[in-house]
Structures are given as structure tokens and as C-alpha cells.
Amino acid sequence: MAQVPQTFFDALAVRSWCGLALEALGRAREEIDAINVYPVADGDTGTNLYLTVESATAAVEAVFAGHEAGGDRRPALADAVRAMAHGALIGARGNSGTILAQLLRGMAQVLAADGAPAHADGEGLRTALRHAADSARQAVAHPVEGTVLAVAAAARGTAGRADGDCGEVARAAYEGARAALAETPARLAVLRRAGVVDAGGRGLVAVLAALVETFTGEAPRGMPAVSGPWRGSVRVAGPVPHARVAETG
């Protein structure tokens, strides 16, 4: 894995982020599985997110290995982010994994676009996070508030108001996502009845915490609790509508 912290969002930063996100989801996997009550209470959101990021990480490592075998120093940012997004898409598991893959795909569309710089600064990261949140919401046939989409939208908003380098933008995105995650039970009754925050949103906060660590060298503190004063039984009575993800090209 590339050393942290990274100054700009380049191929090494992509590699670091994937590795750190995989480690973070590995640590939180069981916790996230345990609070998975929406859209289906099947206890696999943490596992699905982990497997999705594992596939993205493997794809990025393959790109680095290919360049090293060919004598190149490192791949370009565009190559790395395309690999990350493609790996996530082909390895996506469940609704949460599919939405995370769409978020990464949205970032790649900005960072690997024709004419994009060789490495992204704070402004480039802000633009990528904004497009990521918009793309993920557009990919969902029937968006539901109080889910990972709300967490992504909050990250988009706070990152968009941040000035400075990639570390400051990443931290702003994380703080916005963390605050939105804490509010998910107030926005979705099934979470409030179960006494938990949204599992997919919890996973996204972990991924954004890894992004902060990529650029600052330190994991942020203050991960929100998975339960609160609304705590109740985690059993969900009756069927829960499933948020369908639209097919994308």
C-alpha cells in the first residue's frame, strides 16, 4: 500500500484510499451487518460493502502490478480511478455495494475525464464528490431519505463549502456524512423503531474516514454510535420496501 498522507488525489492516493477503506470496513463489518434492517433485514450490508471494496482494491492493485511489470513507475490517476470504479461495479454486492460502486463511478467520471489534470487538488476532489452523490441518486429508481443516499448528499454539501486542500475537503465530507448518519433514524421510521442508524450510511462514513486518513495520515475521531435514545428491538415487523437500483450503462 502507498504511504500516507498523500498531498494530491493521484494514483497513489487511490491505492491508499482503497486499502484503508478495506481495512476500515473489515473492522466494522460485523457491526454494520448487525444493524442492517433496511431495505431488507438480512444482516449482510457490512459484508456486501467489504466485498465491493475488496473487488475495487484488487482492480487497482492489478493496474499497479501491470505498470510495474512494464517498467513504469506508476499508473496515471485516470487509470487508477477507472480500475477502482470498474472493480467496484463488477464486484458490487447488495443495494449498499451497488450504491457505493455508483459513487465511485461518479468520481471516476470526473477524475478520468478528457482534459482532467494528472492529479486532483481540493477543488478537483470537491467536484468529484459532488458528481458522485448526484450520480448515485440518479441511479436509484426510487430514492429513500434517511439512507446512504442522504449521507452521500450531506458529504457533497459540506465538501462543496470547504476551502483548502484534499485533506480539508475530505474531512468536511466526512463530518457532513457523520452528522447525516446520526440523523437517519429521525428520517426513516424503520431505523427509529429498530434503534439503529442506516447500515449503508455507516459504511459510507467508514469509507470517507479512510479518505481523510489518506490525506492526513490520521483516522478521524468521533464515529457516531450505531444506536441512540430511540433504541428498540432490531426486529422489523412486516415487509420493508426495497429501494431498487436502476440499470446503468
Side-chain angles (χ1 to χ4, degrees):
M1 183 190 302
Q3 296 298 309
V4 292
Q6 301 296 314
T7 303
F8 296 102
F9 201 8
D10 58 6
L12 285 175
V14 174
R15 191 184 201 184
S16 289
W17 183 27
C18 286
L20 290 168
L22 189 63
E23 292 175 3
L25 289 171
R27 292 190 298 268
R29 179 174 176 171
E30 292 184 1
E31 172 194 307
I32 296 172
D33 282 345
I35 63 170
N36 172 204
V37 299
Y38 183 85
V40 178
D42 46 10
D44 62 359
T45 292
T47 297
N48 288 339
L49 287 168
Y50 179 86
L51 293 174
T52 301
V53 173
E54 183 178 52
S55 181
T57 302
V60 172
E61 290 300 324
V63 166
F64 269 84
H67 277 72
E68 290 167 2
D72 293 339
R73 182 180 176 186
R74 69 182 67 165
L77 170 61
D79 294 332
V81 294
R82 285 194 194 104
M84 174 182 67
H86 181 68
L89 284 168
I90 64 174
R93 300 289 187 275
N95 260 33
S96 56
T98 301
I99 290 173
L100 178 59
Q102 291 296 332
L103 287 165
L104 297 179
R105 177 175 178 265
M107 293 185 71
Q109 287 173 335
V110 170
L111 298 171
D114 291 341
H119 58 258
D121 57 10
E123 181 179 357
L125 182 57
R126 283 196 301 272
T127 302
L129 289 169
R130 180 173 66 247
H131 188 67
D134 292 344
S135 296
R137 181 169 288 270
Q138 291 167 6
V140 176
H142 301 292
V144 175
E145 295 306 318
T147 66
V148 61
L149 293 174
V151 175
R156 173 196 190 279
T158 52
R161 295 188 293 273
D163 293 322
D165 60 15
C166 287
E168 293 179 10
V169 172
R171 188 175 295 279
Y174 166 79
E175 292 295 344
R178 186 173 68 93
L181 177 64
E183 293 297 317
T184 55
R187 303 179 71 176
L188 194 58
V190 66
L191 300 178
R192 187 165 59 252
R193 291 196 300 269
V196 297
V197 295
D198 179 68
R202 171 64 177 84
L204 179 57
V205 169
V207 171
L208 290 173
L211 187 63
V212 174
E213 188 174 359
T214 297
F215 294 115
T216 68
E218 296 182 355
R221 298 181 179 180
M223 185 68 72
V226 299
S227 61
W230 50 79
R231 186 171 180 80
S233 171
V234 296
R235 185 178 298 277
V236 180
V240 178
H242 198 279
R244 295 186 296 107
V245 177
E247 293 184 1
T248 58

